[in-house]
Amino acid sequence: MRAIPAVVLVIRILFSALAGAQSSRIAPEQKAQLGAAIARFMAANSIPGVSVAVVENGEVAWAAGFGSADLENSVPATAHTLYRLASISKPITATAALLLWQQGKLDLDAPVQKYCPAFPEKNTPITTRELLGHIAGIRHYKSDSQDDPESGNTRHFPNPIQAGLDFFKNDALVAKPGTEFHYSTQGYTVVGCAIEGASGEKYTDYVGKNVLTPAGMAHTVVDDRFAIIPFRARFYSKDKSGAITNADLLDSSYKIPGGGWLSSADDMGQFEVAMLADRIVTRSTRNLMWTPLKPSDGKADRYGLGWGTGKDLGVLDVGHSGSQQGTSTSFMIVPERRAGVVVLINLDGGNASDLATELMKIILK
């Protein structure tokens, strides 16, 4: 595929923004700044499509799509386009787990086998709290290679939790639980299993009824590659020359809790609104999720229970980023300002976090 000239790309971006934008409740000057930042970012990084949402004063103030959801069929990206969430599935799963804790149905500090007997006991007990904070010693993927049978899985599993566990459940721990931070999407499969045991429901059913529905996330669904899902984006990569190609095939049915949901910018904006309004969990439960854990090795850790935290903007921000075949995602909330941004890109390696940070700086001015 030939490279698209920067001027043409910017024109396409601005045209698709007009076609895909929701009604705006932000000032025209600020909207112009946000649009210009997005256009520059897309042109500089050859982004096929991106959808964004902006939360101000605890409400979705603006959501829009830019570029293409599907290059081959000239489908513009909109606020409703569905992208692979990748690892920003984890805060959704964590919120479901903390709701069960809030209801007294899940003890965060009990051995996880109380709720997930399918996960074998290890030399040291592992708790749901440790799993949520990536300090349980569960390994991540074996490698980052697309040829790895985990990170590049192409098999479809009708029983996602059990199938996911089978990838790693008998492997040795990489560290003693509670001692070190080791990021692990696999660990979130165990959390999904614990949610099923504590709730008595399938993971996806519980999350749908107790997180997605209260948040108003009507279009968020599991990334089922066989299902016909309206508004789903096509997924892209870049080859060694920098040309856009279709992304490698991925079936994420084995890792739904940690990286297997599809959502849109407007839905994820509603998730931010729901968290700011304490509509899913209470304020104290929310604050617990947003408090970093303290591994016993004493190293700095900015990760809470399913949520990353930071103060690079001079004020507390919380959120997550994600990346997998054909997607790059990021969302941020600044609780003190009741503000948030969502950035969803249909290109792996798209650096969504960089754009999210740039947009948040504009919002916080």
Side-chain angles (χ1 to χ4, degrees), residues 73-87:
N73 295 292
S74 300
V75 178
T78 74
H80 312 299
T81 299
L82 295 174
Y83 298 76
R84 286 174 172 161
L85 288 186
S87 284

Side-chain angles (χ1 to χ4, degrees), residues 157-209:
F157 298 101
N159 186 341
I161 298 297
Q162 185 58 55
L165 291 173
D166 288 344
F167 275 86
F168 65 93
K169 67 181 182 182
N170 294 319
D171 292 355
L173 300 180
V174 297
K176 182 179 178 181
T179 63
E180 301 175 9
F181 180 90
H182 289 279
Y183 188 83
S184 174
T185 291
Q186 310 291 38
Y188 267 70
T189 298
V190 188
V191 175
C193 182
I195 288 172
E196 291 192 338
S199 68
E201 301 181 51
K202 289 184 178 180
Y203 161 80
T204 51
D205 291 342
Y206 184 81
V207 171
K209 288 188 292 186

Side-chain angles (χ1 to χ4, degrees), residues 41 50 321-322 328-331 343-345 349-357:
F41 181 86
V50 58
S321 62
S328 177
T329 60
S330 182
F331 81 109
V343 174
L344 307 176
I345 297 172
N351 299 319
S353 294
D354 291 347
L355 180 57
T357 299

Side-chain angles (χ1 to χ4, degrees), residues 34 43 132 134 171 316:
L34 294 168
L132 288 166
H134 300 291
D171 292 355
L316 174 68

Side-chain angles (χ1 to χ4, degrees), residues 3-4 6 30 46 79 156 158 176 205 249 333:
I4 300 172
Q30 186 183 60
S46 300
H156 189 75
K176 182 179 178 181
D205 291 342
L249 181 64
I333 300 173

Side-chain angles (χ1 to χ4, degrees), residues 173-344:
L173 300 180
V174 297
K176 182 179 178 181
T179 63
E180 301 175 9
F181 180 90
H182 289 279
Y183 188 83
S184 174
T185 291
Q186 310 291 38
Y188 267 70
T189 298
V190 188
V191 175
C193 182
I195 288 172
E196 291 192 338
S199 68
E201 301 181 51
K202 289 184 178 180
Y203 161 80
T204 51
D205 291 342
Y206 184 81
V207 171
K209 288 188 292 186
N210 295 279
V211 178
L212 306 183
T213 296
M217 301 169 70
H219 303 103
T220 300
V221 294
V222 168
D223 183 15
D224 183 341
R225 69 183 177 92
F226 289 104
I228 303 301
I229 300 176
F231 305 112
R232 174 159 46 181
R234 291 289 295 269
F235 306 117
Y236 300 104
S237 295
K238 289 182 183 178
D239 65 17
K240 292 181 179 179
S241 72
I244 301 297
T245 67
N246 286 311
D248 284 339
L249 181 64
L250 170 70
D251 190 309
S252 59
S253 58
Y254 72 107
K255 59 173 182 179
I256 296 170
W261 288 95
L262 293 172
S263 191
S264 60
D266 50 4
D267 266 22
M268 287 303 296
Q270 291 299 333
F271 180 58
E272 293 189 337
V273 169
M275 295 305 298
L276 288 169
D278 308 323
R279 205 157 67 227
I280 305 173
V281 296
T282 65
R283 180 64 56 90
S284 60
T285 298
R286 187 195 81 178
N287 290 344
L288 176 63
M289 281 195 292
W290 293 354
T291 301
L293 298 182
K294 296 180 180 179
S296 62
D297 65 3
K299 293 183 180 178
D301 185 1
R302 302 200 303 181
Y303 203 91
L305 301 179
W307 295 72
T309 71
K311 288 190 176 180
D312 295 338
L313 299 173
V315 63
L316 174 68
D317 67 83
V318 299
H320 217 287
S321 62
S323 180
Q324 62 185 207
Q325 289 86 332
T327 199
S328 177
T329 60
S330 182
F331 81 109
M332 301 173 66
I333 300 173
V334 175
E336 183 179 313
R337 296 284 296 272
R338 300 180 68 222
V341 296
V342 177
V343 174
L344 307 176

Side-chain angles (χ1 to χ4, degrees), residues 25-27 29-31 33-35 37-38 52-62 272 276 313 315 332-334 337-343 355-365:
R25 292 191 292 273
I26 60 176
E29 181 181 353
Q30 186 183 60
K31 183 177 178 181
Q33 291 176 340
L34 294 168
I38 294 166
V52 302
V54 170
V55 171
E56 288 193 306
N57 299 316
E59 297 182 352
V60 177
W62 182 53
E272 293 189 337
L276 288 169
L313 299 173
V315 63
M332 301 173 66
I333 300 173
V334 175
R337 296 284 296 272
R338 300 180 68 222
V341 296
V342 177
V343 174
L355 180 57
T357 299
E358 186 175 359
L359 299 184
M360 182 62 83
K361 289 178 180 177
I362 295 171
I363 295 166
L364 297 180
K365 285 183 180 177

